[in-house]
């Protein structure tokens, strides 16, 4: 395991501590973002211009529509994939009740796409057209969160979809030498999931 793989494993540890041990979503996300920012600070090279490069309208539309299906799929499939614990009680257990959930949602949606894409698709970037370990580690840390909400048999499916997504975003970054498309489609995906969650909480 090289240095990039070791760093890419840290979000999994942070999620285990924040979600499983502390049962606090704020601790998990702040810890995760702190790891990203610390990695950026100590990185030998930083290229913030890549955040604003790589625009292609066709690919932007394709990736954005794909991102939009995240929330739509969750909303439609929720009766099938959700575990026996209600989403509301799970969110409350993680410290996301009432106003806190809305503040968390705004913070998460506005920061995570930028920080994650720069972290996973640039700082930890590996120049390969094949799936690499960091793609799977990106997916793995998400499954710790998903385990709180969905049936265990759907965890593997979610892992595969997230690994494919990470791979596609990395290939897009390679093709256009920029992160605009991954960032924007990531933001669309996160926003659609938040909206789907709000609709499900109303049920």
């Amino acid at each position: 395991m090289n240095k990039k793989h070791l760093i890419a494993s840290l979000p999994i540890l942070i999620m285990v501590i924040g979600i499983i041990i502390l049962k606090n979503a704020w601790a998990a996300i702040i810890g995760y973002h702190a790891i990203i920012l610390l990695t950026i600070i100590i990185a030998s090279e930083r290229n913030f211009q890549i955040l604003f490069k790589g625009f292609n309208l066709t690919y932007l539309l394709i990736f954005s529509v794909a991102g939009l299906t995240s929330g739509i799929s969750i909303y439609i499939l929720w009766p099938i994939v959700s575990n026996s614990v209600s989403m509301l009680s799970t969110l409350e257990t993680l410290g996301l009740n009432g106003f806190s959930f809305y503040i968390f949602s705004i913070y998460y949606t506005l920061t995570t796409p930028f920080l994650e894409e720069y972290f996973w698709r640039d700082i930890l970037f590996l120049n390969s057209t094949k799936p690499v370990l960091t793609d799977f580690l990106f997916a793995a840390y998400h499954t710790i969160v998903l385990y709180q909400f969905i049936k265990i048999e759907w965890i593997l499916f979610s892992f595969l979809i997230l690994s494919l997504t990470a791979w596609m975003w990395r290939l897009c970054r390679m093709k256009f030498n920029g992160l605009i498309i991954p960032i924007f489609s990531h933001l669309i995906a996160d926003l659609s999931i938040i909206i789907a969650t709000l609709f499900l909480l109303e049920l």
Side-chain angles (χ1 to χ4, degrees):
M1 180 177 289
N2 63 32
K3 187 166 114 178
K4 288 187 177 182
H5 293 155
L6 181 61
I7 295 172
S9 301
L10 292 178
I12 299 174
L13 176 62
I14 292 296
M15 288 300 145
V16 169
I17 294 172
I19 300 296
I20 305 299
I21 298 176
L22 299 179
K23 295 190 180 302
N24 189 294
W26 281 107
I29 196 65
I30 295 300
Y32 176 41
H33 286 176
I35 289 294
I36 293 177
L37 291 173
L38 181 61
T39 303
I40 292 173
I41 290 171
I42 65 177
S44 57
E45 295 183 8
R46 287 179 292 276
N47 179 22
F48 296 122
Q49 291 183 349
I50 201 167
L51 293 167
F52 311 102
K53 294 170 59 180
F55 179 80
N56 179 281
L57 183 58
T58 301
Y59 276 79
L60 181 67
L61 292 174
I62 293 172
F63 274 78
S64 296
V65 169
L68 186 62
T69 62
S70 301
I72 296 173
S73 299
I74 287 174
Y75 183 78
I76 293 173
L77 296 175
W78 191 252
I80 301 172
V81 304
S82 62
N83 57 27
S84 57
V85 182
S86 75
M87 179 186 291
L88 180 60
S89 63
T90 302
L91 289 172
E92 289 176 343
T93 300
L94 296 173
L96 298 179
N97 50 352
F99 188 66
S100 177
F101 172 75
Y102 294 102
I103 296 299
F104 182 91
S105 299
I106 293 170
Y107 172 77
Y108 182 87
T109 305
L110 294 180
T111 60
T112 299
F114 297 91
L115 291 175
E116 274 202 333
E117 290 308 315
Y118 189 69
F119 179 69
W120 292 98
R121 257 62 74 178
D122 190 68
I123 296 293
L124 301 181
F125 175 71
L126 293 172
N127 190 19
S128 173
T129 56
K130 298 179 180 179
V132 295
L133 182 57
T134 54
D135 298 331
F136 298 108
L137 291 173
F138 172 83
Y141 104 80
H142 284 82
T143 60
I144 297 171
V145 178
L146 291 174
Y147 179 72
Q148 311 303 306
F149 299 94
I150 67 176
K151 296 174 183 176
I152 193 166
E153 58 264 30
W154 285 91
I155 295 295
L156 179 59
F157 177 76
S158 301
F159 175 79
L160 293 174
I161 293 296
L162 287 163
S163 298
L164 177 63
T165 301
W167 181 32
M168 291 296 102
W169 275 334
R170 188 169 53 78
L171 290 178
C172 185
R173 182 256 193 247
M174 289 176 60
K175 181 176 180 64
F176 298 109
N177 192 31
L179 290 172
I180 283 183
I181 294 172
I183 288 172
F184 188 78
S185 57
H186 193 155
L187 190 151
I188 293 295
D190 286 352
L191 184 60
S192 72
I193 292 170
I194 294 296
I195 293 173
T197 302
L198 290 172
F199 274 102
L200 288 169
L201 289 173
E202 292 294 324
L203 297 180

